[in-house]
Amino acid sequence: MDEIMIKNIVREVLMKTNLDISCKSDQGVFEDVNDAIDAAYIAQRDWYMNYKVEDRRRIIEAIRVVARENAPMFAKMIHEETGMGRYEDKITKNLAVIDKTPGVECLVTDAISGDSGLMIEEQAPFGVIGAITPSTNPTETIINNTISMIGGGNAVVFNVHPGAKKVCAVCLQILHKTIVENGGPANLITMQRKPDMEAVNKLTASPKIRLMVGTGGMGMVNALLKSGKKTIGAGAGNPPVVVDDTADLDKAASEIYRGASFDNNLLCLAEKETFVMDNVADELIRKMCACGAHLITPQETEQLLKVIFLEKDGKYSVNKKWVGKDASLILESIGIKDADTRLVLCEVPHDHPFVLVEQLMPIMPIVRCKTFEDCVKYAVVAENGNRHTASMFSKNVDHMTRFAKEIETTIFTKNAATLVGVGIGGEGHTTMTIAGPTGEGLTCARSFTRRRRCMLADGGLRVI
């Protein structure tokens, strides 16, 4: 029996079995996560055994087309369901992952040919991936992960954030329908309709799940790391900005304003606090206000602290009802009306809660520092070892090099908003899964594959 006949028999068996499971599915959305896992397992075997890399490329391009058509709808649904962020910025984020998430093109084969044979190392799939997604970037993460993960030959079972479950289900169903209509297997991407922690536990316990991927807070990432499964974790960040006295202050002001206010600061890589040398601080603040930022007084800052943070035993945590809200609404909470502003500025000391606790709100604390060394020292403390993202505005190469070495972040941007670090207005590919804690960095299809070596001995295919 030849290889083609074997593959056809396998595919026929898989498709017959798949019919039994797909009847429980609403375009990839299941009531029970175990059914979602079983269906994805069957789909992945079919995807791996019977589809070519060119099929993956073709189906991914079809996903890009349909996702692009629906990007405005996704943005509207996210805004309505979560109550966070800005509609126009959500369109930009969705289009970024649609257009700039690499597919199969980043799966590169390495080869060595010598007298002892031919060695090739290829990127092979893990199998079925369990993916946890956030409410801050819900459809963006599903689209990004889908392209990367099926591009690597995998299937995916998503457990989405409960706060965005409706839009995630709609997004997944649209992508699922596109995969099937373009000849791909049903249930290559699946999810449980009502996500919960029990579903996460079942994902981590299932022998059919070969890899866990978490995009969100550090609590979730740490829990996955303790599960015993191989984990790719994209955790929290608290990105600092350093502005020294050689910086182009017009550019620094406009870029910090743009990045920190984008989608109301929901991106984990967005600028969260600014450390500026004292001799240029007044001018930077003045120019940021000229961009549209609203500077509040020290008294108003302390008022705002009591609104957006919860305090217990001297420790501060974010009041989640304010996450991703418009700057104008945040100002209204302390009696200030400024409907046009996108960013609140406040001057605080380096150890203020606004500096040390990640907010995910359009609030930019400004810390004056006497020296560049102080800027670096305080920025490293604020970043809290997340090794996520940092940025700097300077014309001094030595300063930029020093800060980059001290901060050790996965993304380091110079003289631009941190948005450029994920390809939004900058070079390089886009991802919503920035795996700092586990070291994969800005993920792509290659991140979700295993390196497999194949050796043809006795001279291989050498003709020289």
Side-chain angles (χ1 to χ4, degrees):
M1 190 178 295
D2 64 23
E3 184 180 358
I4 294 177
M5 188 176 296
I6 293 173
K7 282 190 174 183
N8 287 337
I9 291 172
V10 170
R11 186 171 189 185
E12 185 177 346
V13 171
L14 288 170
M15 289 180 68
K16 285 180 179 177
T17 312
N18 196 32
L19 291 173
D20 296 333
I21 288 182
S22 64
C23 67
K24 303 176 185 178
S25 163
D26 180 11
Q27 291 287 358
V29 178
F30 290 78
E31 301 304 321
D32 185 87
V33 72
N34 286 323
D35 292 333
I37 294 170
D38 290 344
Y41 180 80
I42 292 168
Q44 195 277 327
R45 296 306 299 167
D46 190 12
W47 187 235
Y48 177 53
M49 295 292 291
N50 299 303
Y51 289 82
K52 299 177 181 179
V53 172
E54 188 53 42
D55 293 320
R56 299 185 204 173
R57 189 192 311 276
R58 176 177 53 78
I59 288 172
I60 286 171
E61 288 310 307
I63 287 173
R64 295 191 203 275
V65 171
V66 74
R68 198 176 295 117
E69 292 170 352
N70 286 280
M73 181 189 72
F74 294 153
K76 186 173 186 293
M77 289 186 69
I78 295 167
H79 192 262
E80 290 175 350
E81 185 174 4
T82 68
M84 298 187 294
R86 306 181 74 91
Y87 166 74
E88 65 276 14
D89 293 340
K90 293 184 185 301
I91 295 177
T92 299
K93 286 198 296 183
N94 274 278
L95 291 176
V97 297
I98 291 163
D99 294 335
K100 299 191 73 173
T101 299
V104 298
E105 60 269 25
C106 64
L107 303 179
V108 179
T109 299
D110 294 327
I112 297 176
S113 177
D115 292 336
S116 297
L118 171 67
M119 182 281 293
I120 62 171
E121 285 189 343
E122 295 185 293
Q123 309 293 333
F126 273 94
V128 183
I129 298 173
I132 316 300
T133 65
S135 60
T136 49
N137 305 297
T139 61
E140 301 95 322
T141 306
I142 285 181
I143 295 166
N144 168 247
N145 282 181
T146 294
I147 292 172
S148 292
M149 292 172 183
I150 73 170
N154 306 285
V156 197
V157 181
F158 288 102
N159 193 82
V160 305
H161 193 286
K165 63 186 177 184
K166 292 179 183 178
V167 67
C168 286
V170 169
C171 177
L172 187 138
Q173 288 170 321
I174 289 172
L175 303 189
H176 180 280
K177 185 171 183 286
T178 300
I179 291 170
V180 173
E181 286 179 347
N182 284 273
N187 302 316
L188 196 59
I189 54 173
T190 67
M191 64 174 278
Q192 179 173 292
R193 188 180 303 278
K194 296 180 179 179
D196 53 30
M197 275 308 300
E198 183 181 358
V200 176
N201 294 335
K202 288 178 179 178
L203 282 170
T204 58
S206 172
K208 293 177 180 176
I209 300 293
R210 301 294 298 277
L211 171 68
M212 291 299 300
V213 178
T215 308
M218 280 309 303
M220 175 272 297
V221 172
N222 287 331
L224 294 183
L225 287 169
K226 295 174 183 176
S227 70
K229 290 269 195 252
K230 176 175 173 59
T231 296
I232 293 177
N238 193 37
V241 185
V242 167
V243 181
D244 74 8
D245 56 4
T246 71
D248 179 335
L249 295 180
D250 285 314
K251 186 168 188 180
S254 63
E255 289 294 286
I256 295 170
Y257 179 81
R258 179 170 75 96
S261 66
F262 181 84
D263 204 28
N264 290 343
N265 206 261
L266 284 175
L267 282 171
C268 52
L269 62 90
E271 298 85 345
K272 299 291 189 284
E273 60 277 334
T274 298
F275 300 90
V276 56
M277 290 178 64
D278 188 60
N279 58 333
V280 295
D282 287 337
E283 189 174 359
L284 177 69
I285 292 170
R286 180 177 60 79
K287 289 179 181 295
M288 290 186 72
C289 290
C291 290
H294 186 111
L295 177 66
I296 59 176
T297 67
Q299 293 77 18
E300 291 164 343
T301 300
E302 293 313 302
Q303 280 182 266
L304 191 58
L305 176 66
K306 295 174 183 177
V307 172
I308 67 168
F309 276 176
L310 304 174
E311 188 267 333
K312 184 178 181 180
D313 299 327
K315 294 183 179 180
Y316 290 88
S317 60
V318 171
N319 185 341
K320 292 183 179 179
K321 68 177 283 187
W322 291 102
V323 169
K325 298 301 182 184
D326 288 355
S328 58
L329 292 177
I330 291 171
L331 287 174
E332 277 185 24
S333 72
I334 57 171
I336 299 172
K337 292 192 179 296
D338 186 349
D340 296 328
T341 191
R342 289 173 57 107
L343 186 66
V344 179
L345 298 184
C346 56
E347 285 198 60
V348 295
H350 66 86
D351 56 355
H352 193 276
F354 281 175
V355 173
L356 300 179
V357 181
E358 184 187 41
Q359 301 165 45
L360 300 178
M361 302 176 204
I363 299 171
M364 175 53 67
I366 307 287
V367 179
R368 293 173 181 262
C369 302
K370 292 182 179 179
T371 65
F372 169 70
E373 287 71 24
D374 284 344
C375 288
V376 172
K377 179 174 66 175
Y378 297 143
V380 170
V381 172
E383 208 277 331
N384 196 35
N386 294 315
R387 296 183 180 180
H388 196 293
T389 299
S391 71
M392 185 171 179
F393 290 84
S394 174
K395 295 178 183 177
N396 186 319
V397 174
D398 289 340
H399 280 186
M400 289 189 286
T401 303
R402 166 76 183 281
F403 183 41
K405 286 185 175 181
E406 293 282 356
I407 202 73
E408 294 187 289
T409 50
T410 302
I411 298 172
F412 184 75
T413 67
K414 305 168 185 176
N415 299 319
T418 54
L419 288 170
V420 306
V422 287
I424 301 177
E427 298 300 328
H429 73 269
T430 298
T431 184
M432 290 292 121
T433 301
I434 303 166
T438 51
E440 290 80 8
L442 279 74
T443 57
C444 61
R446 186 169 61 250
S447 308
F448 308 112
T449 59
R450 301 168 59 236
R451 287 186 69 83
R452 291 175 55 181
R453 177 176 290 196
C454 180
M455 185 71 199
L456 178 61
D458 298 328
L461 301 175
R462 297 198 84 195
V463 292
I464 57 172

